[in-house]
């Protein structure tokens, strides 16, 4: 089943200015919540330990200058004007860049790629496949394609970025909520505040994660007004403080003050950069959430609203602090007029929740993408909205994030350590983006290597400076994202390695078509009513579980479909290109292969609608194969691997029609036949589905008979035959490989979602065939 694209999808990108402005307004609540909360803790963390605020104001003006130029160079110049252009068919983020590189240089880590995938319309956009214009680009492409080590390094780089995003999903909610609640300290004594602040933060975080399974589509319309109100509030307070305390604070925007700041503070000033970089926390969301909006809408929202509001807020805080030198607490709330602190506190808590919600949802999305690339164990994905694309919830990850978030909150008990940890995660993701972007400039945009070098040198130098300042605080909290990323990286690499080895085993042990034909026209066994659906990872050949199944049961269904659900390195696959259908063996055997292709951002639900689409695709394959029509299908491959592109039911205007009749008290079909093999997954569904095939004089008699048999089998029911493989290291393998496969991969497999849960298959219609894979 393909979910209906939501209100944020990119099909509206070419519409009127009214639509663009509406998207820009909506992006405030989805994209900029985390970035908008940064004024709550930047100055507080910067002046907490590393430097002191002196009467000369060199420190406060220097920090303001660093904040201004960091916001100008990184979010504005790098992301708004450069990185946003590197979209993957409208999608953004680390995996979008990796996907672009995989297609242009053919370095995909997916084992079951086919040449037919390169015929996808989104695969071929932007002149994919053309050689780079420069000689260096061509040699770089050939080098990446030849050396597996470089391909693995590229994958590791993308996974490092993904793991740091997951780490940020733990740290950002904690620091945002903690900083928002910190305003309570101005309305009570230190003793009271010590016992109130932490419980309030934990209660808000628990409530935030506990409500995730409801989704945000019911309250999402409130997000943009909350963030907009907050931005207008902090900008108004900033203007008030500038006017009232220091109208000449704008002079601090000069880079000259950065030089004076570093010259006076020396090592302490350099270390404070690890806190100053928190002003760009959430900037990566502009690129990561690109798929929900448009480039123009995100640019308008940032340049017209977010950027000026943040600059005014930071200038206002600096103006206030420039006239108040004897304050112990250099936080956001001290610069807020006394009568406004309570309402501002409420708005701050709300915007912190909105920003945290966006980060958590982004973490779910990145884990789904990792799972699609075979780099993360199977998890249960719940779609919280049938209308808005990308609204997902992963229960296991949600509770893990909640426990980790509470652990770091209770462990640090202040924003200083949380800031050190969050800063390293943020800057690492940006460094990964810079590295991948340099390759995109050469390989995908086919620009001169000079531009890539300038990009890496300019932005890489800035980010490396901040990275070094964050890394030096390893013992003060920066170890947390490193530890979290290391754990997730190990899990991802173990799962990916085990998955690749299992696929290689399946390829080496697949059954040849000659073995199938040697069984004779009737295949030498009993054929029972219904459709047998065999899930396999193979895109060609017959999986070993089929021979194992036939050898033990000596029977299978009258129609057998080898189903492969796979992901390709594009964000979305159009419904009209979803299915690849072909025959396995002679036409009389009624054996078919169906490959269902999804992009790494597509949503797949294995329900009754998907079953109907699957059967419809085979019906259309038979119909058009008989009539010889080539209007809606395209043949790829040759011999036994010949496959035909067939769209889903909704893409065929004159295709088969589906109608359903409610049926109650239905008995299993073919029970006597099924008792002979001691198993029957084939049970009639509660709703009988009937397929009406349009009449066509061009369909020959044999095709009509084949269609009739397929319809009868579908109405009898579908049985799901799943391979349950136990992966073991071969005898004589190294100790390290045994640890990885026998313990690491096996532990992840046992604690991940099994196929029956992952695909939401009915247990009564499911049969698992166990095998041991020696890899």
């Amino acid at each position: 089943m393909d979910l209906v694209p939501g209100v944020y999808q990119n099909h509206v990108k070419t519409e009127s200015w009214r639509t663009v402005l509406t998207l820009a307004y909506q992006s405030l609540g989805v994209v900029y919540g985390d970035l908008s909360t940064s004024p709550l803790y930047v100055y507080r963390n910067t002046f907490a330990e590393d430097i002191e605020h002196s009467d000369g104001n060199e420190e406060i003006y220097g920090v303001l200058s660093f904040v201004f130029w960091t916001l100008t160079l990184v979010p504005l110049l790098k992301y708004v004007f450069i990185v946003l252009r590197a979209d993957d068919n409208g999608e953004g983020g680390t995996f979008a860049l990796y996907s672009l590189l995989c297609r242009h240089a053919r370095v995909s880590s997916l084992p079951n790629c086919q040449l037919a995938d390169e015929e996808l319309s989104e695969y071929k956009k932007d002149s994919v496949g053309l050689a780079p214009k420069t000689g260096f680009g061509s040699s770089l492409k050939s080098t990446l394609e030849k050396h597996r080590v470089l391909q693995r390094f590229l994958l590791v780089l993308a996974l490092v970025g993904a793991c740091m995003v997951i780490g940020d999903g733990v740290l950002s909610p904690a620091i945002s909520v903690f900083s928002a609640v910190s305003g309570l300290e101005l309305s009570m004594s230190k003793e009271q505040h010590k016992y109130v602040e932490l419980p309030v933060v934990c209660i808000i975080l628990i409530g935030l994660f506990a409500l995730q399974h409801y989704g945000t589509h019911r309250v999402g319309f409130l997000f943009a007004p909350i963030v907009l109100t907050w931005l207008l509030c902090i900008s108004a307070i900033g203007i008030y403080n500038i006017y009232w305390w220091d109208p000449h604070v704008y002079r601090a925007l000069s880079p000259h003050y950065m030089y004076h700041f570093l010259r006076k503070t020396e090592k302490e000033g350099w270390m404070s950069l690890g806190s100053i970089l928190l002003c760009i926390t959430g900037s990566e969301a502009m690129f990561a959430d690109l798929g929900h909006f448009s480039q123009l809408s995100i640019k308008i929202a940032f340049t017209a609203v977010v950027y000026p509001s943040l600059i005014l807020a930071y200038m206002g805080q600096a103006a206030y602090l420039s006239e108040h030198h004897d304050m112990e607490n250099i936080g956001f709330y001290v610069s807020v007029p006394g009568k406004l602190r309570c309402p501002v506190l409420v708005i701050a808590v709300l915007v912190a929740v909105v920003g945290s919600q966006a980060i958590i949802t982004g973490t779910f999305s990145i884990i789904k993408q990792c799972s699609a690339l075979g780099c993360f164990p199977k998890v249960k994905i719940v779609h919280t909205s049938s209308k808005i694309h990308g609204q997902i919830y992963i229960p296991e990850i949600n509770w893990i994030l909640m426990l980790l978030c509470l652990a770091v909150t209770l462990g640090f008990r202040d924003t200083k350590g949380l800031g050190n940890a969050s800063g390293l995660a943020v800057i690492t993701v940006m460094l990964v983006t810079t590295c991948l972007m340099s390759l995109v400039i050469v390989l995908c945009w086919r620009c001169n290597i000079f531009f890539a070098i300038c990009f890496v040198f300019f932005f890489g130098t800035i980010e490396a400076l901040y990275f070094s300042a964050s890394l030096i605080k390893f013992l003060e909290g920066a170890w947390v994202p490193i530890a979290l990323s290391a754990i997730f990286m190990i899990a991802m690499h173990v799962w990916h390695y085990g998955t690749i080895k299992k696929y290689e085993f399946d390829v080496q042990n697949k059954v040849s078509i000659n073995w199938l034909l040697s069984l004779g026209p009737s295949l030498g066994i009993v054929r029972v009513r219904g459709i047998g659906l065999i899930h396999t990872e193979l895109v060609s050949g017959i999986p070993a579980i089929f021979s194992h199944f036939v050898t033990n049961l000596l029977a299978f269904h009258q129609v057998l479909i080898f189903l492969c659900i796979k992901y390709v390195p594009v964000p979305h696959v159009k419904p009209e290109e979803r299915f690849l259908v072909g025959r396995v063996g002679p036409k009389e055997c009624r054996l078919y292969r169906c490959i269902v292709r999804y992009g790494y951002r597509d949503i797949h639900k294995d329900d009754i609608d998907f079953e109907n689409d699957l059967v419809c695709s085979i019906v259309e394959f038979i119909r058009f194969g008989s009539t010889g029509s080539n209007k809606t299908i395209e043949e790829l491959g040759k011999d036994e691997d010949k496959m035909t592109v067939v769209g889903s039911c909704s893409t065929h205007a004159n295709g088969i029609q589906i109608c359903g009749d409610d049926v109650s008290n239905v008995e299993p079909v073919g029970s006597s036949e099924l008792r002979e093999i001691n198993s029957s997954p084939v049970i009639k569904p509660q709703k009988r589905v009937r397929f009406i095939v349009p009449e066509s004089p061009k369909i020959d008699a044999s095709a009509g008979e084949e269609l009739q048999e397929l319809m009868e089998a579908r109405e009898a029911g579908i049985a799901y035959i799943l391979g349950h493989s136990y992966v073991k290291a071969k005898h004589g393998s190294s100790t390290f490989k045994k640890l990885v496969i026998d313990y690491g991969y096996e532990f992840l497999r046992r604690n991940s979602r099994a196929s029956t849960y992952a695909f939401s298959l009915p247990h009564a219609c499911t049969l698992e065939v166990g095998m041991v894979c020696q890899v």
Side-chain angles (χ1 to χ4, degrees):
M1 175 183 178
D2 299 318
L3 293 188
V4 179
V7 295
Y8 302 140
Q9 274 291 63
N10 289 305
H11 60 79
V12 297
K13 288 184 178 180
T14 58
E15 293 188 5
S16 65
W17 274 101
R18 180 180 179 182
T19 302
V20 173
L21 293 177
T22 302
L23 286 175
Y25 169 73
Q26 292 171 339
S27 70
L28 292 174
V30 178
V31 178
Y32 297 108
D34 192 28
L35 181 61
S36 300
T37 59
S38 60
L40 289 171
Y41 45 80
V42 171
Y43 283 114
R44 182 189 184 99
N45 282 18
T46 302
F47 289 95
E49 293 179 7
D50 298 324
I51 55 178
E52 296 181 358
H53 182 29
S54 65
D55 295 340
N57 289 329
E58 291 91 346
E59 295 83 3
I60 191 66
Y61 288 161
V63 171
L64 174 60
S65 185
F66 266 106
V67 168
F68 171 77
W69 286 106
T70 303
L71 280 170
T72 302
L73 294 178
V74 179
L76 185 62
L77 181 59
K78 175 187 172 182
Y79 281 94
V80 170
F81 290 105
I82 301 177
V83 175
L84 285 181
R85 296 179 55 228
D87 66 298
D88 182 13
N89 296 298
E91 297 292 340
T94 303
F95 277 101
L97 296 177
Y98 179 71
S99 174
L100 279 174
L101 295 173
C102 285
R103 302 206 303 274
H104 283 79
R106 294 181 180 175
V107 293
S108 177
S109 62
L110 297 172
N112 52 3
C113 293
Q114 298 171 279
L115 289 176
D117 299 336
E118 298 182 13
E119 298 297 322
L120 292 170
S121 56
E122 291 205 4
Y123 199 106
K124 297 192 292 184
K125 280 186 179 180
D126 302 322
S127 302
V128 171
L130 294 181
K133 294 181 180 179
T134 63
F136 180 84
S138 300
S139 59
L140 178 61
K141 177 182 177 181
S142 61
T143 302
L144 284 173
E145 292 176 347
K146 290 178 182 178
H147 296 85
R148 296 287 299 175
V149 174
L150 295 178
Q151 296 176 22
R152 293 192 186 99
F153 176 77
L154 202 60
L155 176 63
V156 169
L157 195 62
L159 292 181
V160 167
C163 290
M164 284 297 179
V165 170
I166 297 172
D168 196 34
V170 173
L171 297 165
S172 284
I175 190 173
S176 297
V177 175
F178 214 122
S179 301
V181 175
S182 65
L184 293 173
E185 64 185 341
L186 299 178
S187 59
M188 60 183 66
S189 65
K190 282 188 176 181
E191 291 298 322
Q192 291 176 323
H193 176 259
K194 184 170 60 175
Y195 295 105
V196 171
E197 183 181 43
L198 202 59
V200 171
V201 172
C202 292
I203 289 172
I204 293 175
L205 290 175
I206 292 173
L208 175 65
F209 284 99
L211 296 175
Q212 287 299 310
H213 68 283
Y214 290 108
T216 59
H217 57 285
R218 295 183 180 89
V219 295
F221 67 95
L222 295 174
F223 288 178
I226 290 173
V227 176
L228 181 60
T229 302
W230 168 254
L231 290 172
L232 294 177
C233 178
I234 61 175
S235 58
I237 294 172
I239 294 173
Y240 169 81
N241 285 328
I242 293 170
Y243 174 79
W244 190 259
W245 297 110
D246 188 1
H248 301 290
V249 72
Y250 65 88
R251 297 174 181 173
L253 303 183
S254 170
H256 180 70
Y257 285 88
M258 291 192 293
Y259 169 74
H260 279 288
F261 171 76
L262 292 177
R263 189 179 67 174
K264 179 179 180 180
T265 57
E266 297 178 343
K267 180 181 178 182
E268 289 73 17
W270 167 63
M271 293 178 64
S272 69
L273 296 180
S275 300
I276 294 174
L277 74 87
L278 294 174
C279 68
I280 54 176
T281 300
S283 299
E284 186 72 21
M286 286 192 289
F287 186 45
D289 293 329
L290 181 60
H292 298 313
F293 305 98
S294 65
Q295 290 186 27
L296 186 57
S297 63
I298 289 179
K299 291 177 179 179
I300 290 175
F302 183 78
T303 55
V305 181
V306 179
Y307 178 74
S309 298
L310 291 177
I311 296 301
L312 288 173
Y314 285 114
M315 289 177 65
Q317 288 187 64
Y320 180 87
L321 294 175
S322 67
E323 298 297 325
H324 299 80
H325 304 94
D326 55 349
M327 303 185 64
E328 294 183 6
N329 177 17
I330 304 180
F332 169 77
Y333 289 101
V334 297
S335 64
V336 178
K339 295 182 180 180
L340 297 178
R341 283 175 184 166
C342 286
V344 169
L345 174 65
V346 173
I347 299 174
V349 172
L350 291 176
V351 78
V353 170
V354 170
S356 301
Q357 172 63 45
I359 289 293
I360 295 168
T361 304
T363 305
F364 294 155
S365 178
I366 203 76
I367 288 176
K368 176 187 175 296
Q369 294 174 40
C370 290
S371 181
L373 289 175
C375 297
F376 201 87
K378 294 176 182 178
V379 290
K380 180 181 180 181
I381 297 177
V382 179
H383 309 283
T384 58
S385 174
S386 60
K387 296 181 179 180
I388 300 178
H389 181 82
Q391 295 262 339
I392 62 174
Y393 164 70
I394 305 177
E396 300 95 329
I397 301 301
N398 181 68
W399 301 123
I400 291 174
L401 289 179
M402 187 190 76
L403 292 176
L404 292 174
C405 190
L406 291 175
V408 297
T409 302
L410 295 173
F412 288 115
R413 295 175 177 268
D414 59 24
T415 58
K416 178 61 180 176
L418 289 171
N420 294 336
S422 180
L424 184 64
V426 168
I427 201 64
T428 303
V429 176
M430 292 184 176
L431 274 171
V432 169
T433 300
T434 300
C435 295
L436 294 177
M437 266 300 302
S438 63
L439 295 176
V440 169
I441 290 173
V442 176
L443 296 177
C444 305
W445 293 354
R446 302 189 297 281
C447 296
N448 193 289
I449 184 63
F450 173 75
F451 296 103
I453 293 175
C454 290
F455 180 85
V456 171
F457 179 78
F458 184 76
F459 294 107
T461 301
I462 296 172
E463 291 162 0
L465 179 65
Y466 282 119
F467 180 80
S468 63
S470 297
L471 195 60
I472 201 68
K473 299 180 180 180
F474 181 84
L475 298 178
E476 287 77 31
W479 63 270
V480 172
I482 296 176
L484 291 175
S485 298
I487 293 171
F488 280 102
M489 278 290 290
I490 292 172
M492 288 180 178
H493 278 283
V494 167
W495 183 262
H496 182 67
Y497 179 76
T499 302
I500 294 295
K501 289 298 179 183
K502 179 179 175 296
Y503 183 81
E504 291 175 354
F505 175 87
D506 291 340
V507 171
Q508 294 169 2
N509 293 272
K510 65 182 179 182
V511 181
S512 66
I513 190 69
N514 295 329
W515 174 85
L516 182 67
L517 297 176
S518 66
L519 299 178
S522 64
L523 301 183
I525 51 177
V526 178
R527 304 293 291 269
V528 298
R529 294 181 62 194
I531 295 177
L533 205 58
I534 299 180
H535 287 264
T536 176
E537 300 293 329
L538 295 177
V539 294
S540 63
I542 301 171
I545 61 168
F546 175 71
S547 62
H548 190 63
F549 173 74
V550 171
T551 303
N552 286 273
L553 299 179
L554 300 177
F556 62 84
H557 305 84
Q558 65 185 105
V559 175
L560 206 63
I561 303 173
F562 295 99
L563 175 64
C564 173
I565 299 175
K566 73 170 191 174
Y567 289 87
V568 292
V570 295
H572 303 285
V573 175
K574 294 181 179 180
E576 56 266 27
E577 300 174 324
R578 178 81 66 209
F579 296 92
L580 277 176
V581 184
R583 298 185 189 277
V584 179
K587 183 177 181 180
E588 297 76 17
C589 294
R590 302 296 190 254
L591 303 180
Y592 306 94
R593 182 185 310 284
C594 187
I595 300 172
V596 190
R597 301 177 292 183
Y598 289 91
Y600 57 83
R601 280 189 178 270
D602 277 333
I603 295 174
H604 164 62
K605 294 182 70 176
D606 202 337
D607 53 11
I608 188 65
D609 293 320
F610 174 75
E611 293 177 4
N612 293 337
D613 278 345
L614 180 63
V615 176
C616 285
S617 68
I618 298 177
V619 170
E620 297 298 335
F621 166 74
I622 297 172
R623 286 182 61 212
F624 290 110
S626 172
T627 60
S629 172
N630 58 3
K631 293 182 180 180
T632 59
I633 61 177
E634 178 184 356
E635 293 187 353
L636 303 165
K638 57 184 179 179
D639 301 331
E640 64 189 64
D641 292 329
K642 178 181 289 188
M643 305 294 289
T644 301
V645 178
V646 184
S648 57
C649 266
S650 59
T651 62
H652 298 285
N654 299 319
I656 66 173
Q657 299 177 356
I658 302 175
C659 64
D661 301 322
D662 292 331
V663 181
S664 58
N665 300 322
V666 182
E667 296 294 331
V669 177
S671 57
S672 61
E673 295 173 302
L674 299 171
R675 287 194 197 101
E676 290 181 11
I677 61 175
N678 297 322
S679 93
S680 173
V682 181
I683 297 178
K684 269 191 180 181
Q686 291 298 316
K687 188 172 183 180
R688 179 180 296 163
V689 179
R690 296 184 182 276
F691 295 85
I692 302 176
V693 182
E695 296 182 0
S696 173
K698 296 182 180 180
I699 298 180
D700 56 34
S702 63
E705 182 182 346
E706 187 177 5
L707 286 172
Q708 182 62 31
E709 188 172 348
L710 179 62
M711 295 300 99
E712 292 176 356
R714 175 61 184 93
E715 293 187 7
I718 295 181
Y720 306 89
I721 304 168
L722 307 175
H724 196 75
S725 302
Y726 296 88
V727 182
K728 298 290 182 183
K730 292 180 180 179
H731 295 292
S733 299
S734 64
T735 304
F736 179 76
K737 183 177 181 180
K738 289 181 179 179
L739 287 174
V740 170
I741 296 296
D742 296 347
Y743 296 97
Y745 181 79
E746 183 63 16
F747 173 80
L748 293 174
R749 187 192 64 80
R750 288 180 178 275
N751 289 277
S752 64
R753 291 276 173 170
S755 298
T756 51
Y757 295 99
F759 295 118
S760 302
L761 303 180
H763 294 280
C765 301
T766 304
L767 176 66
E768 291 193 15
V769 181
M771 284 189 65
V772 177
C773 302
Q774 296 281 345
V775 299

